Amino acid sequence: MKTLEELEAKLAEPSEALVKELSSVDGDIMILGVGGKMGPSLARLAKNAIRKGGLNKRVIGVSRFSDEEARRELEEAGVETISCNLLNDDELSQLPHADNIIYMAGNKFGTTGREHFTWGMNTYLPGRVAEKFKDSRIVVFSSGNIYPFMPIGSGGANESVSPEPLGEYAQSTLGRERVFEYHSHKNGTPMLFYRLNYAIDMRYGVLLEIAKAVNEQRVINLTMGHANVIWQGDANEMALRCLTECSNPPAVMNITGPETMSIRWAAEEFAKRMGKEALFEGTESEIALLNNASKSHQRFGYPSVSLLQMIDWLAEWVQAGGATWNKPTHFQERKGKY
């Protein structure tokens, strides 16, 4: 994994299971908020699966597309694009119908000081979208942030754990689910709430932040001493396969890797590969934001890319000076302020 081309190809590599399940789902796929961190690779993965299976489906990506280069790359991959400000009711109303909606729009970082915008994106907009696409099936991207912190030895919060969101981002994310849920009951719309943390790409994510800290010999704070991670390609595939699991009332699916990963352990693994020393401060808390994804693993199988494989790839990527995005996860945050 040494070039962006290799990375993008790996992220958009469809499995036979994905091809088979998309063949069982009628209609086109529209991705709302395709311009974010995960959207472009998810759209390319969907298009590659459709192409591989010889399926008669369109993939439509909707975003404001502030980055025209990203839009061009999607279109070159066969993804149709529509520029739309979803918060503009006129523009939203003009979107074409699609039987399958992947809802990825939302706001997290920069919430503090702009709480009104986060609530508008995360809680007001879902009602407008749910009404517009009441005759579709909808996979709603949510977050494991809505769960309470869990004891390290608990295995993490599964779908039966009641949400206890901390801070306005997490509160508004639960609001997103509740508003969609209301419309699902009102209109009979089949939905699934996709509760994710944390997706890993070579250009951003928890593991990249740990790897960079080790490589640059910066101190790593251990207060949030554990986390869950999953390869973004696996997370994207599970999102698309979740279209087969939409129901009324809405289904819930936690999405992450199988391990409760120790931040200290991960840093020391990077240090071995880089010939560096991992530097720490603080001590691990007995509770952390942890997500139990056993249900999704039973349904979709374990992620295809292992934790150690991600660590190997990222150690090499960081030491080679691979491209990264300045989009920190703030996974260390314990007070819900983003």
PDB file of all heavy atoms in Angstrom, residues 277-292:
ATOM      1  N   GLU A 277      10.494   5.089  19.778  1.00  0.00           N
ATOM      2  CA  GLU A 277       9.957   4.831  21.108  1.00  0.00           C
ATOM      3  C   GLU A 277       8.586   5.471  21.213  1.00  0.00           C
ATOM      4  O   GLU A 277       8.392   6.622  20.783  1.00  0.00           O
ATOM      5  CB  GLU A 277      10.879   5.401  22.182  1.00  0.00           C
ATOM      6  CG  GLU A 277      10.377   5.183  23.600  1.00  0.00           C
ATOM      7  CD  GLU A 277      11.259   5.845  24.649  1.00  0.00           C
ATOM      8  OE1 GLU A 277      12.255   6.484  24.264  1.00  0.00           O
ATOM      9  OE2 GLU A 277      10.930   5.732  25.849  1.00  0.00           O
ATOM     10  N   ALA A 278       7.634   4.748  21.761  1.00  0.00           N
ATOM     11  CA  ALA A 278       6.307   5.314  22.001  1.00  0.00           C
ATOM     12  C   ALA A 278       6.320   6.063  23.326  1.00  0.00           C
ATOM     13  O   ALA A 278       6.743   5.522  24.347  1.00  0.00           O
ATOM     14  CB  ALA A 278       5.259   4.211  22.021  1.00  0.00           C
ATOM     15  N   LEU A 279       5.883   7.322  23.303  1.00  0.00           N
ATOM     16  CA  LEU A 279       5.910   8.186  24.487  1.00  0.00           C
ATOM     17  C   LEU A 279       4.479   8.418  24.974  1.00  0.00           C
ATOM     18  O   LEU A 279       3.592   8.744  24.179  1.00  0.00           O
ATOM     19  CB  LEU A 279       6.572   9.525  24.147  1.00  0.00           C
ATOM     20  CG  LEU A 279       7.972   9.433  23.513  1.00  0.00           C
ATOM     21  CD1 LEU A 279       8.461  10.812  23.123  1.00  0.00           C
ATOM     22  CD2 LEU A 279       8.939   8.748  24.468  1.00  0.00           C
ATOM     23  N   PHE A 280       4.275   8.277  26.279  1.00  0.00           N
ATOM     24  CA  PHE A 280       2.926   8.357  26.826  1.00  0.00           C
ATOM     25  C   PHE A 280       2.851   9.332  27.994  1.00  0.00           C
ATOM     26  O   PHE A 280       3.857   9.617  28.649  1.00  0.00           O
ATOM     27  CB  PHE A 280       2.474   6.978  27.326  1.00  0.00           C
ATOM     28  CG  PHE A 280       2.536   5.892  26.290  1.00  0.00           C
ATOM     29  CD1 PHE A 280       3.507   4.895  26.355  1.00  0.00           C
ATOM     30  CD2 PHE A 280       1.623   5.861  25.250  1.00  0.00           C
ATOM     31  CE1 PHE A 280       3.569   3.886  25.411  1.00  0.00           C
ATOM     32  CE2 PHE A 280       1.672   4.852  24.296  1.00  0.00           C
ATOM     33  CZ  PHE A 280       2.640   3.869  24.381  1.00  0.00           C
ATOM     34  N   GLU A 281       1.616   9.805  28.230  1.00  0.00           N
ATOM     35  CA  GLU A 281       1.299  10.535  29.450  1.00  0.00           C
ATOM     36  C   GLU A 281      -0.081  10.112  29.911  1.00  0.00           C
ATOM     37  O   GLU A 281      -0.918   9.684  29.117  1.00  0.00           O
ATOM     38  CB  GLU A 281       1.328  12.058  29.215  1.00  0.00           C
ATOM     39  CG  GLU A 281       0.254  12.552  28.274  1.00  0.00           C
ATOM     40  CD  GLU A 281       0.297  14.054  28.062  1.00  0.00           C
ATOM     41  OE1 GLU A 281       1.257  14.687  28.540  1.00  0.00           O
ATOM     42  OE2 GLU A 281      -0.627  14.580  27.409  1.00  0.00           O
ATOM     43  N   GLY A 282      -0.331  10.221  31.217  1.00  0.00           N
ATOM     44  CA  GLY A 282      -1.618   9.831  31.756  1.00  0.00           C
ATOM     45  C   GLY A 282      -1.753   8.323  31.873  1.00  0.00           C
ATOM     46  O   GLY A 282      -0.871   7.556  31.476  1.00  0.00           O
ATOM     47  N   THR A 283      -2.856   7.897  32.420  1.00  0.00           N
ATOM     48  CA  THR A 283      -3.142   6.469  32.575  1.00  0.00           C
ATOM     49  C   THR A 283      -4.524   6.163  32.009  1.00  0.00           C
ATOM     50  O   THR A 283      -5.400   7.035  31.967  1.00  0.00           O
ATOM     51  CB  THR A 283      -3.104   6.050  34.056  1.00  0.00           C
ATOM     52  OG1 THR A 283      -4.041   6.855  34.795  1.00  0.00           O
ATOM     53  CG2 THR A 283      -1.710   6.230  34.637  1.00  0.00           C
ATOM     54  N   GLU A 284      -4.709   4.940  31.592  1.00  0.00           N
ATOM     55  CA  GLU A 284      -5.958   4.519  30.966  1.00  0.00           C
ATOM     56  C   GLU A 284      -7.117   4.583  31.947  1.00  0.00           C
ATOM     57  O   GLU A 284      -7.025   4.109  33.073  1.00  0.00           O
ATOM     58  CB  GLU A 284      -5.827   3.090  30.434  1.00  0.00           C
ATOM     59  CG  GLU A 284      -4.889   2.946  29.250  1.00  0.00           C
ATOM     60  CD  GLU A 284      -3.445   2.691  29.630  1.00  0.00           C
ATOM     61  OE1 GLU A 284      -3.090   2.940  30.809  1.00  0.00           O
ATOM     62  OE2 GLU A 284      -2.662   2.265  28.769  1.00  0.00           O
ATOM     63  N   SER A 285      -8.219   5.205  31.513  1.00  0.00           N
ATOM     64  CA  SER A 285      -9.447   5.182  32.312  1.00  0.00           C
ATOM     65  C   SER A 285     -10.059   3.795  32.250  1.00  0.00           C
ATOM     66  O   SER A 285      -9.812   3.025  31.318  1.00  0.00           O
ATOM     67  CB  SER A 285     -10.436   6.211  31.763  1.00  0.00           C
ATOM     68  OG  SER A 285     -11.691   6.087  32.403  1.00  0.00           O
ATOM     69  N   GLU A 286     -10.867   3.478  33.224  1.00  0.00           N
ATOM     70  CA  GLU A 286     -11.536   2.176  33.251  1.00  0.00           C
ATOM     71  C   GLU A 286     -12.752   2.126  32.344  1.00  0.00           C
ATOM     72  O   GLU A 286     -13.343   1.053  32.143  1.00  0.00           O
ATOM     73  CB  GLU A 286     -11.952   1.827  34.686  1.00  0.00           C
ATOM     74  CG  GLU A 286     -10.761   1.624  35.621  1.00  0.00           C
ATOM     75  CD  GLU A 286     -11.184   1.253  37.032  1.00  0.00           C
ATOM     76  OE1 GLU A 286     -12.417   1.206  37.287  1.00  0.00           O
ATOM     77  OE2 GLU A 286     -10.300   1.004  37.870  1.00  0.00           O
ATOM     78  N   ILE A 287     -13.153   3.280  31.781  1.00  0.00           N
ATOM     79  CA  ILE A 287     -14.271   3.318  30.838  1.00  0.00           C
ATOM     80  C   ILE A 287     -13.850   4.055  29.580  1.00  0.00           C
ATOM     81  O   ILE A 287     -12.960   4.915  29.611  1.00  0.00           O
ATOM     82  CB  ILE A 287     -15.523   3.977  31.455  1.00  0.00           C
ATOM     83  CG1 ILE A 287     -15.216   5.416  31.903  1.00  0.00           C
ATOM     84  CG2 ILE A 287     -16.051   3.150  32.621  1.00  0.00           C
ATOM     85  CD1 ILE A 287     -16.459   6.182  32.357  1.00  0.00           C
ATOM     86  N   ALA A 288     -14.468   3.709  28.457  1.00  0.00           N
ATOM     87  CA  ALA A 288     -14.147   4.344  27.183  1.00  0.00           C
ATOM     88  C   ALA A 288     -15.356   4.222  26.262  1.00  0.00           C
ATOM     89  O   ALA A 288     -16.316   3.487  26.546  1.00  0.00           O
ATOM     90  CB  ALA A 288     -12.921   3.693  26.546  1.00  0.00           C
ATOM     91  N   LEU A 289     -15.306   4.942  25.148  1.00  0.00           N
ATOM     92  CA  LEU A 289     -16.352   4.849  24.132  1.00  0.00           C
ATOM     93  C   LEU A 289     -16.089   3.589  23.306  1.00  0.00           C
ATOM     94  O   LEU A 289     -15.189   3.564  22.471  1.00  0.00           O
ATOM     95  CB  LEU A 289     -16.336   6.090  23.240  1.00  0.00           C
ATOM     96  CG  LEU A 289     -17.406   6.153  22.155  1.00  0.00           C
ATOM     97  CD1 LEU A 289     -18.791   6.248  22.773  1.00  0.00           C
ATOM     98  CD2 LEU A 289     -17.159   7.339  21.227  1.00  0.00           C
ATOM     99  N   LEU A 290     -16.849   2.543  23.568  1.00  0.00           N
ATOM    100  CA  LEU A 290     -16.597   1.239  22.954  1.00  0.00           C
ATOM    101  C   LEU A 290     -17.882   0.674  22.365  1.00  0.00           C
ATOM    102  O   LEU A 290     -18.943   0.739  22.968  1.00  0.00           O
ATOM    103  CB  LEU A 290     -16.021   0.263  23.987  1.00  0.00           C
ATOM    104  CG  LEU A 290     -14.663   0.656  24.572  1.00  0.00           C
ATOM    105  CD1 LEU A 290     -14.287  -0.267  25.723  1.00  0.00           C
ATOM    106  CD2 LEU A 290     -13.584   0.641  23.487  1.00  0.00           C
ATOM    107  N   ASN A 291     -17.734   0.077  21.188  1.00  0.00           N
ATOM    108  CA  ASN A 291     -18.851  -0.363  20.375  1.00  0.00           C
ATOM    109  C   ASN A 291     -18.718  -1.866  20.135  1.00  0.00           C
ATOM    110  O   ASN A 291     -17.674  -2.332  19.677  1.00  0.00           O
ATOM    111  CB  ASN A 291     -18.791   0.415  19.056  1.00  0.00           C
ATOM    112  CG  ASN A 291     -19.993   0.224  18.159  1.00  0.00           C
ATOM    113  OD1 ASN A 291     -20.660  -0.786  18.210  1.00  0.00           O
ATOM    114  ND2 ASN A 291     -20.238   1.211  17.311  1.00  0.00           N
ATOM    115  N   ASN A 292     -19.747  -2.630  20.441  1.00  0.00           N
ATOM    116  CA  ASN A 292     -19.750  -4.080  20.207  1.00  0.00           C
ATOM    117  C   ASN A 292     -20.500  -4.371  18.908  1.00  0.00           C
ATOM    118  O   ASN A 292     -21.712  -4.154  18.829  1.00  0.00           O
ATOM    119  CB  ASN A 292     -20.414  -4.797  21.381  1.00  0.00           C
ATOM    120  CG  ASN A 292     -20.317  -6.309  21.272  1.00  0.00           C
ATOM    121  OD1 ASN A 292     -20.529  -6.883  20.219  1.00  0.00           O
ATOM    122  ND2 ASN A 292     -20.002  -6.954  22.381  1.00  0.00           N
TER     123      ASN A 292
END
